[in-house]
Amino acid sequence: MNYLLILLTIFLAAPVAGQQVPVVLSESDFLALVAEHHPLAARAELQRERSQALLREARGGFDPKLYGDLAQKYFKGTRYYSLAEGGIKVPTWFGVELSASYERNEGYYLNPEHTVPENGLFAAGLTVPLGRGLFFDQRRAELQRARIYQRATVVERQLQLNELLYDAGSRYWEWAGAQGAVRVYAEAMELARTRYAAVVSGAALGDRPAIDTLEARIVVQNRLLGLESARLDLANATAALNAFLWLEGVIPLELDEGARPPSPDSVVVGIPAPLPAGLENPGLLQTRLKLDELEVDERLQREQLKPRLDLKYNTLIAGGPAWSPERFSANDYKWGIGFSQSLLVRKERGKLQLIRIKQSETQLELAAKTALVEAKLAQAENEAAATVLQYALAQRNVDDYARLLAGERELFGVGESSLFLVNSREVSFIEASLKRLELMVKHRKARLAMRYVAGLAIPTPAGGSLPNE
């Protein structure tokens, strides 16, 4: 039955999948699909829910708590004692714990200290940590850690999503470059076949030497080898791209056979707009938040150096059906004080020293990461700027080689050029076209790297374009 449900889900989802992936797949459309449906993107969203759960758990440390206790002893028909107590305790942010309780004790052998009025005894008071825990304690530390973790999960989500989209974007441009290479070789292949047919016809009529047919056939074979190699690269690039296409993070999708990127001529290759000020790499933010968490640990551990000195005070009021303010007396109370302190405090001082060592290590890690991020950003900016000029030169080469090739073909058609020269011009034109595609891919990947390293979320507007274009 489970297999039938899975198959039914796949069949029902198939029409939706076809609508999800357009035939002409732009970069922004592809990244939007990845950000919306990839399992890692869904996992990144779960981090936010995890942080909310941890924050709720930490806030639970300040929840009021009800308690109750009943102890009785009967032996040979005699009730030795019956001790009953119940109440509520309310911890506060300032370390003071408020409490209220009701106690009713009876029995033939009741301990005198448990003796209470006939209608029971009410108590209301507080517990104040005068030493350790007055300014900071475990409950407040857990809540601060949860808030830091909540901020950290936002950064973690951005980091995971940026890594996913950067990787997906890189695979997209490799796929686009492979598509372009197949088109270049396919056009060259058709030209070589057409020329081969013309040379064979010319040789049959005696207009061309027979040796030209052999050379023309070798050219066709070489072009076919290049085309098959380009098709293999495209198949591998398509497989890598398909790994990023999912439906709701559950059903893997595949590109249609006719799917293609926009024409290379429509791809923007230009100096990127300056990145917005105030951006910070998510990896650096993670390390800064780690320092914030260590600061919480240090503050909590400093509290452990103080002696434990807890003061308890409760005012007592006798129970009864008709209570009035006159029954309250300042002379009815119970109080206590507790004290403890290690004489050498070696354990506490050792833990504090370890935390401070971790802080120093994390600060050094932050400095190293900062330098690395700045270097990577400079490299990406340099590559993005340099490939603009390189691409312009490559485009000019393509245009010039195209004119040379057109002229050589005209000369060959009237018998004033050789097959060798025409093939040489075509090889140069193919190499220039492939170099232009290579620089286009390199430039677009450099633009992605700039945004990724800078910590700017890679844009994914469906049907739109990159903001810095």
Side-chain angles (χ1 to χ4, degrees):
M1 186 64 182
N2 291 334
Y3 294 109
L4 291 176
L5 289 176
I6 293 173
L7 289 174
L8 180 61
T9 302
I10 293 174
F11 286 135
L12 290 176
V16 181
Q19 297 174 5
Q20 290 281 341
V21 183
V23 176
V24 179
L25 184 61
S26 67
E27 180 195 32
S28 55
D29 288 335
F30 172 68
L31 293 181
L33 288 173
V34 174
E36 185 176 357
H37 297 286
H38 196 277
L40 290 181
R43 179 186 175 189
E45 287 293 335
L46 290 176
Q47 295 295 330
R48 182 181 303 174
E49 298 181 15
R50 182 193 297 272
S51 68
Q52 293 173 349
L54 287 175
L55 183 60
R56 186 179 298 113
E57 179 185 7
R59 286 174 174 167
F62 295 90
D63 289 347
K65 294 182 180 180
L66 294 172
Y67 71 93
D69 188 22
L70 175 63
Q72 295 181 335
K73 180 179 180 181
Y74 291 85
F75 187 68
K76 293 183 179 182
T78 301
R79 183 170 66 173
Y80 276 52
Y81 59 80
S82 175
L83 307 177
E85 182 180 2
I88 183 173
K89 293 182 179 180
V90 183
T92 67
W93 174 258
F94 304 102
V96 177
E97 184 177 77
L98 307 177
S99 62
S101 64
Y102 174 74
E103 182 180 5
R104 186 164 185 170
N105 306 321
E106 299 174 335
Y108 189 79
Y109 295 108
L110 186 67
N111 192 318
E113 70 177 77
H114 292 148
T115 301
V116 296
E118 182 179 357
N119 291 321
L121 185 67
F122 289 97
L126 49 80
T127 301
V128 183
L130 299 178
R132 184 189 308 172
L134 176 61
F135 298 106
F136 204 60
D137 58 15
Q138 186 68 35
R139 278 193 294 252
R140 282 175 277 186
E142 290 297 333
L143 184 56
Q144 286 197 15
R145 288 195 193 102
R147 287 172 175 167
I148 292 173
Y149 183 79
Q150 190 173 40
R151 291 158 52 201
T153 53
V154 175
V155 176
E156 176 67 21
R157 176 183 176 276
Q158 182 186 2
L159 181 61
Q160 291 181 3
L161 194 58
N162 274 9
E163 288 179 349
L164 173 65
L165 295 180
Y166 172 69
D167 195 13
S170 298
R171 302 293 84 76
Y172 172 86
W173 287 111
E174 291 171 3
W175 171 72
Q179 284 271 11
V182 168
R183 285 195 296 270
V184 170
Y185 277 111
E187 292 173 0
M189 179 68 186
E190 288 302 317
L191 291 174
R193 281 178 173 170
T194 301
R195 187 180 308 109
Y196 174 68
V199 170
V200 170
S201 299
L205 296 173
D207 296 335
R208 294 285 178 187
I211 194 67
D212 282 357
T213 61
L214 179 60
E215 184 176 353
R217 188 174 67 185
I218 291 174
V219 171
V220 171
Q221 292 171 172
N222 286 335
R223 300 288 165 79
L224 183 58
L225 285 173
L227 178 59
E228 291 302 320
S229 178
R231 285 173 175 169
L232 175 60
D233 292 341
L234 176 59
N236 291 335
T238 302
L241 200 68
N242 285 335
F244 293 93
L245 291 174
W246 292 77
L247 180 63
E248 301 299 336
V250 177
I251 303 173
L253 303 179
E254 290 186 358
L255 289 172
D256 294 334
E257 291 185 2
R260 64 184 187 277
S263 170
D265 295 333
S266 65
V267 175
V268 175
V269 178
I271 299 295
L275 294 170
L279 295 176
E280 188 167 16
N281 182 277
L284 298 182
L285 288 174
Q286 274 187 326
T287 308
R288 294 188 192 280
L289 290 172
K290 189 187 298 184
L291 283 172
D292 292 343
E293 187 174 356
L294 287 172
E295 185 178 347
V296 173
D297 294 341
E298 183 195 20
R299 184 180 178 188
L300 179 61
Q301 194 57 40
R302 287 202 308 266
E303 283 291 314
Q304 307 306 311
L305 301 178
K306 300 177 182 178
R308 178 174 291 280
L309 183 63
D310 297 334
L311 174 65
K312 298 181 180 180
Y313 177 84
N314 286 273
T315 183
L316 304 177
I317 303 173
W323 182 87
S324 62
E326 289 78 8
R327 296 174 59 183
F328 172 77
S329 173
N331 295 323
D332 298 332
Y333 63 90
K334 63 177 179 180
W335 76 285
I337 190 168
F339 173 81
S340 66
Q341 171 68 0
S342 172
L343 293 179
L344 301 179
V345 205
R346 287 185 293 188
K347 181 179 180 180
E348 291 77 8
R349 287 188 288 114
K351 286 184 177 181
L352 181 59
Q353 185 178 7
L354 288 174
I355 291 173
R356 288 174 173 169
I357 290 174
K358 288 182 180 179
Q359 286 178 318
S360 299
E361 291 175 344
T362 307
Q363 288 171 348
L364 292 173
E365 178 186 352
L366 178 61
K369 281 186 176 181
T370 301
L372 183 61
V373 166
E374 290 175 353
K376 286 184 176 181
L377 182 58
Q379 290 171 352
E381 289 175 341
N382 293 338
E383 187 167 357
T387 48
V388 172
L389 177 59
Q390 293 172 353
Y391 183 84
L393 292 173
Q395 180 64 58
R396 191 179 305 167
N397 281 343
V398 170
D399 296 338
D400 291 343
Y401 278 123
R403 285 194 291 269
L404 281 176
L405 178 59
E408 203 66 47
R409 285 173 180 167
E410 290 181 5
L411 294 175
F412 180 77
V414 297
E416 295 183 5
S417 180
S418 66
L419 184 61
F420 174 80
L421 287 176
V422 173
N423 292 334
S424 177
R425 300 296 188 196
E426 282 188 351
V427 169
S428 298
F429 176 74
I430 292 171
E431 291 177 348
S433 299
L434 294 176
K435 185 63 178 179
R436 180 183 63 173
L437 286 172
E438 178 188 342
L439 289 170
M440 179 196 74
V441 173
K442 191 174 182 180
H443 174 77
R444 298 304 304 192
K445 290 172 73 171
R447 292 170 74 110
L448 286 173
M450 280 179 56
R451 303 179 69 87
Y452 167 69
V453 175
L456 184 63
I458 297 175
T460 58
S465 59
L466 298 180
N468 62 351
E469 293 182 356

